[in-house]
Amino acid sequence: MHATGSNVSVDQALGMAIDAWLAAEEARASRTMADGSAKGYQWKCLFLPDTTQIRMSFDGRTEYAEVVGDAIVHRGRSVSPRGLTLAVAGDGRNAWRELVVRRPGDAGWLRASVLRARIERASRQAQPQPATPADSMAAAARCMSDALRSALAVVEHVNVQAAQQYERRAERHRRAADKMGEDCAFD
């Protein structure tokens, strides 16, 4: 402030900086929370919020795209992650490995495959794990028991369906024409 010749006190400058930051955050939140849902692009398990930057380097050049609303926009066109890799490098590229992402609030760029691995690891850790080996064995036994019960039910159903239904009319209820007599000979 001394270098610019400003006569604003440190307290006032700090207050203005905080107000500007709050206004920017409020504007960002209003863009991403329009109509009650977050704007962004859902790429399988990875959500890329509105204003996320995406880049890909190939053959000595770097191309950029940005998430605008619910779409990834590259050179004015809406593309998928795969479409972005096709536009930049042609066929034969894996978007998870090639694309580098910087979401709002991220300190730096991260490869999409790293973000996906983090999400998958967090998902696995969120599932309750058995406390002891005995608990693991009991859970496995319950699963096997349920599977066997299901298999037996399927087998029983198939047996009933496959059983041939023979005509069981008693002899006294058969018609005379239905009976094979001794006069019938097979040659």
Side-chain angles (χ1 to χ4, degrees), residues 136-156:
S136 297
M137 294 298 289
R142 281 192 302 274
C143 288
M144 291 172 73
S145 176
D146 291 344
L148 284 172
R149 264 191 240 112
S150 297
L152 287 173
V154 169
V155 167
E156 183 179 339

Side-chain angles (χ1 to χ4, degrees), residues 3-4 8 27 36 41 67:
T4 62
V8 176
Y41 186 88
V67 177

Side-chain angles (χ1 to χ4, degrees), residues 14-73:
L14 185 57
M16 289 189 309
I18 291 172
D19 290 342
W21 179 78
L22 288 173
E25 282 299 303
E26 188 175 309
R28 184 188 65 78
S30 68
R31 281 196 313 268
T32 60
M33 297 303 286
D35 69 79
S37 63
K39 296 285 185 182
Y41 186 88
Q42 185 69 49
W43 180 14
K44 301 210 181 206
C45 64
L46 179 60
F47 180 72
L48 302 173
D50 187 32
T51 72
T52 296
Q53 300 290 312
I54 303 170
R55 77 173 186 219
M56 180 178 169
S57 297
F58 177 75
D59 204 23
R61 70 181 198 282
T62 302
E63 296 277 335
Y64 292 88
E66 181 178 5
V67 177
V68 178
D70 292 332
I72 298 173
V73 178

